[in-house]
Amino acid sequence: MWELFLTGVDAVMSVQIMILIVLGVAVGIVFGAVPGLTAVMAIALCLPLTYALGPAAGLSLLVALFVGATSGALISAILLKIPGTPSSVATTFDGGPMMEKGEGVKALGAGVVFSFLGTIASIIALMTIAPLLAKVALRFGPHEYFAIAVFSLTLIATLSTGSMVKGLFAGTLGFAFATVGIAPVDAIRRFTFDEPNLNSGFDMLVVLIGIFAISEVIKVAESVRSGKNAAIGSVSMKSIKGFGFSMKEFFGQIPNATRSALIGIGIGILPGIGAGTSNIVSYIVAKKRSKYPEKFGTGVLDGVVASETANNAGIGGAMIPLLTLGIPGDAVTAILLGGFMIHGIQPGPMLFISQGALVYTIFVALIVSAVLMLLLEFYGLRIFIKLLAVPKHILLPIILVLCVVGAFGLSSRVFDVWTILLFGLIGYGFVKGGIPPAPFIIGFILGPMAETNLRRGLMLSDGNFVGFLTNPISGAFLLLAVLSVAWHVVGSLRARKNASTELAQA
Amino acid sequence: MKTIRMKELAIGIAMLAIGLIYLAMTMQLPDKGLIDSAFVPYILAGTICLLGVLQLLASRQPDVGPLTTEEKIEAEAEKAAGASDYGTVAKTLGLIVIYAGLLNLVGFPIMTALYLYVQFLVLTPTGHKTNHLAYVAIAIISSATIYVAFRYGFDLMLPSGPLFNF
């Protein structure tokens, strides 16, 4: 392990990769900070840049974007009281009031430092848990992979925001789109309409760019003409020592930060929910455990620390299932999976054996990105604040062009440009219909995995489905999948019953 | 409240329609026994249809109480954002279609500059002064920078069009 780690250090310390990480973190911070731009968009736009790079350089750039964008959202959450991404919603609760009280620099400094600590804690968890889990996963066969895919799909559909029916629909529809092209095992062409471009199905990256980037551009077009720019608060960095808060305040936040990091890592590992949920959960827990819960929401440091530690702690957490099982937990790790595949790398337990050096290069790149995020985000704050003022009607068309370049660059065909438009429209339809897009993506990615392993498993057990239930790991995951749906259904029925009772009493 | 329920009904109809279309397409696949390439699509089509029916049933149920938290957030967000400007959405979609359709023929540098300029105009906020000179300059510089960076920096063969035929 130590040797692999040193190999990773050696790879990342090259001039090219260091420059890419600096750029990745800076661009990521901007995408995180500007409301409407997301980490997925940042990675989608920078993917074409990695086509010509090697796997180590390309993946280092992508993880740097991930780290930067997750943390960058705190800038607008504190200065504008608008979270740059859903991962910093809870940061606005106390970050905004702190800004109004003239403690903006302290809030920003604490946010940046505890984002850094959350990231580092999650990387330690990743480096500890991932190799162990990969060893276990090496023994998995088709039965286990099918069951894990089904479990992940149901968990994502039930945990996503909105109704379970819509979540399940999105996941199933994503799976249905994944059936386009040549079928596994017997190689029958399905739903291709004799269009040769569809023989290999829809490219995952094209789907991701369409669903998350193009739909966002269309959505913003709805309101950009009537939109008013929010007032950007100003902060003075003069006579600021360190990161704007005292050592006493720092040590006072350690229990809160530790708890929030654990929440962030735990939620990050679960498929379907990530930083968007963990920041709110850890904020609520911090408030409940606080000696002064009534002060939460009025501008206390604890709120900013809880939210920012937890959201960044999700980074390492979300990468655990991605690297060990090849299962992305959310949209950002899904697009990272696409980045891996561009370079011919299939995440999964074998990655730790066949590409051990690359895995540790990613770990080191994450650590370096976290350190650079700490320095760039705080000391480059003035530049990032200026970028918040770039008008959306200029920025979004340029982003769209970069999306087109990314799609075209995959196979040098305009067909992929049409495809991003198609999935952009589907994504926009989801937004209007209140259907969560994450299950669609996960269904699209895990669908082929589930189908291939189902058919392989059935071949192994001579067409007998019982094999999936008698296998202990497979059976346990399928049971968990049923339980997760049942739990959600019971919860919904109970909520409905309570609402009826309240209405009857009123 | 009624609008929300109508919307949910429309979503249910759309879900069911998608399920039925997918089922019809699945039925066209060659039949090679129980476990063949149509097996999973049949399960998916059935699931989508079932979910569509569940959504329709949910939308037809009488209101049981005040708006859910989710509905409240949705309503507040819609109120805060103001009325949706679907005209701008349609124009934007039209421009993207034209851009994609003419990309190969006209070439990336010219088509991108044209698209960017017109899209800037379409998205310019009401009451915001339109600076044509700045828009043209940003469109040309952005298009040229992206083209040169990807064509020569990253070896990505973007369609050059007639500009480089002379």
Side-chain angles (χ1 to χ4, degrees):
Chain A
M1 180 184 155
W2 187 241
E3 266 181 33
L4 286 170
F5 185 79
L6 289 178
T7 313
V9 172
D10 197 37
V12 171
M13 288 305 155
S14 72
V15 177
Q16 184 205 23
I17 292 185
M18 284 304 289
I19 291 172
L20 286 168
I21 292 179
V22 172
L23 282 174
V25 172
V27 172
I29 292 171
V30 173
F31 271 72
V34 177
L37 306 189
T38 60
V40 180
M41 226 184 233
I43 297 174
L45 295 183
C46 290
L47 272 173
L49 303 179
T50 72
Y51 297 164
L53 300 170
L59 294 172
S60 297
L61 171 65
L62 298 183
V63 295
L65 286 160
F66 187 10
V67 173
T70 308
S71 177
L74 74 91
I75 297 176
S76 51
I78 292 167
L79 295 181
L80 301 176
K81 274 182 129 182
I82 302 169
T85 64
S87 64
S88 284
V89 170
T91 311
T92 58
F93 301 162
D94 280 290
M98 281 182 80
M99 182 73 199
E100 284 166 4
K101 286 198 292 187
E103 294 180 333
V105 176
K106 188 197 271 188
L108 286 162
V112 173
V113 169
F114 285 95
S115 285
F116 166 74
L117 293 175
T119 312
I120 294 295
S122 77
I123 298 168
I124 293 168
L126 171 69
M127 289 176 69
T128 317
I129 299 169
L132 297 174
L133 191 60
K135 268 185 195 168
V136 177
L138 270 175
R139 293 187 217 125
F140 287 0
H143 293 94
E144 287 89 349
Y145 271 109
F146 168 73
I148 290 170
V150 171
F151 167 69
S152 305
L153 273 170
T154 49
L155 202 62
I156 286 158
T158 51
L159 292 181
S160 297
T161 51
S163 85
M164 186 183 70
V165 170
K166 287 180 183 174
L168 286 171
F169 167 74
T172 317
L173 189 66
F175 196 160
F177 270 100
T179 58
V180 174
I182 293 171
V185 183
D186 54 11
I188 297 277
R189 281 197 301 163
R190 296 186 297 198
F191 319 120
T192 58
F193 308 103
D194 293 326
E195 168 61 56
N197 284 315
L198 284 175
N199 281 349
S200 53
F202 295 108
D203 192 284
M204 185 211 300
L205 289 171
V206 171
V207 177
L208 278 160
I209 293 171
I211 289 280
F212 287 104
I214 301 295
S215 68
E216 191 64 36
V217 173
I218 301 171
K219 195 176 91 184
V220 174
E222 239 183 49
S223 56
V224 73
R225 276 172 60 82
S226 56
K228 294 178 183 74
N229 286 332
I232 303 168
S234 61
V235 286
S236 170
M237 303 293 280
K238 281 177 191 169
S239 69
I240 293 297
K241 286 179 184 172
F243 286 93
F245 55 88
S246 68
M247 286 307 281
K248 193 184 165 194
E249 284 171 316
F250 174 77
F251 286 113
Q253 292 300 329
I254 295 294
N256 177 18
T258 309
R259 187 177 52 236
S260 304
L262 290 172
I263 291 170
I265 294 167
I267 289 180
I269 294 172
L270 287 177
I273 49 173
T277 307
S278 65
N279 75 97
I280 296 170
V281 173
S282 64
Y283 181 86
I284 293 167
V285 174
K287 190 178 174 181
K288 277 188 181 167
R289 306 274 299 188
S290 173
K291 288 174 188 162
Y292 40 87
E294 71 287 350
K295 286 187 182 173
F296 274 67
T298 61
V300 286
L301 199 60
D302 310 49
V304 175
V305 169
S307 170
E308 285 307 316
T309 311
N311 64 18
N312 269 63
I315 292 173
M319 289 196 75
I320 292 173
L322 175 73
L323 291 178
T324 56
L325 299 169
I327 292 177
D330 56 11
V332 187
T333 40
I335 203 155
L336 275 179
L337 178 66
F340 276 84
M341 287 176 166
I342 282 177
H343 295 286
I345 298 158
Q346 176 65 52
M350 283 303 289
L351 187 68
F352 286 77
I353 295 169
S354 59
Q355 301 271 4
L358 181 66
V359 171
Y360 280 84
T361 302
I362 295 168
F363 292 163
V364 177
L366 277 167
I367 297 169
V368 174
S369 301
V371 175
L372 285 168
M373 177 265 288
L374 176 74
L375 301 173
L376 282 176
E377 193 165 350
F378 191 72
Y379 294 106
L381 201 58
R382 277 188 190 175
I383 301 164
F384 295 120
I385 290 172
K386 276 186 185 160
L387 287 168
L388 281 177
V390 175
K392 284 246 178 80
H393 67 281
I394 300 291
L395 201 57
L396 285 166
I398 296 172
I399 287 172
L400 188 126
V401 167
L402 288 168
C403 288
V404 167
V405 172
F408 182 86
L410 281 170
S411 309
S412 295
R413 53 183 191 176
V414 177
F415 173 80
D416 288 324
V417 179
W418 289 113
T419 315
I420 57 167
L421 182 58
L422 167 73
F423 285 100
L425 284 171
I426 292 172
Y428 179 63
F430 277 16
V431 171
K432 300 307 287 180
I435 300 168
F440 180 90
I441 291 299
I442 305 300
F444 183 82
I445 294 167
L446 295 185
M449 178 178 159
E451 185 179 10
T452 308
N453 286 297
L454 171 72
R455 296 190 65 184
R456 278 188 194 154
L458 286 173
M459 281 164 77
L460 285 175
S461 53
D462 294 325
N464 192 346
F465 287 92
V466 180
F468 290 97
L469 302 173
T470 51
N471 179 308
I473 296 172
S474 158
F477 273 109
L478 288 176
L479 182 68
L480 283 172
V482 173
L483 286 176
S484 76
V485 174
W487 175 65
H488 197 91
V489 170
V490 171
S492 303
L493 289 174
R494 197 173 288 165
R496 188 171 280 274
K497 199 179 167 187
N498 288 345
S500 303
T501 316
E502 276 173 29
L503 196 69
Q505 285 170 350
Chain B
M1 181 87 80
K2 199 179 172 186
T3 318
I4 291 172
R5 299 295 172 209
M6 284 301 288
K7 192 174 117 183
E8 295 303 308
L9 182 72
I11 293 165
I13 294 168
M15 282 162 70
L16 190 58
I18 290 168
L20 291 172
I21 293 168
Y22 188 66
L23 182 65
M25 292 195 313
T26 303
M27 288 164 79
Q28 310 289 318
L29 294 173
D31 186 3
K32 291 189 173 182
L34 176 65
I35 312 298
D36 59 2
S37 55
F39 177 69
V40 168
Y42 269 120
I43 294 174
L44 296 175
T47 310
I48 296 174
C49 289
L50 176 70
L51 291 167
V53 171
L54 288 175
Q55 174 68 20
L56 283 175
L57 290 174
S59 67
R60 284 179 61 82
Q61 278 190 355
D63 300 329
V64 290
L67 290 176
T68 62
T69 314
E70 188 192 320
E71 285 169 342
K72 276 182 198 163
I73 291 168
E74 197 179 321
E76 275 171 22
E78 277 178 17
K79 202 177 160 186
S84 296
D85 181 0
Y86 292 113
T88 306
V89 172
K91 282 179 201 165
T92 300
L93 285 173
L95 281 176
I96 301 171
V97 169
I98 295 168
Y99 177 51
L102 297 177
L103 194 61
N104 255 345
L105 188 71
V106 181
F108 182 88
I110 295 174
M111 202 56 224
T112 300
L114 286 172
Y115 163 75
L116 284 176
Y117 172 68
V118 182
Q119 186 72 79
F120 292 157
L121 291 178
V122 167
L123 295 181
T124 301
T126 319
H128 190 281
K129 197 185 164 196
T130 306
N131 189 339
H132 291 279
L133 197 64
Y135 284 5
V136 170
I138 296 168
I140 293 173
I141 292 167
S142 303
S143 173
T145 309
I146 295 169
Y147 182 78
V148 170
F150 282 94
R151 173 69 186 82
Y152 300 103
F154 299 102
D155 292 327
L156 192 62
M157 296 297 285
L158 290 165
S160 53
L163 192 66
F164 295 88
N165 290 344
F166 302 105

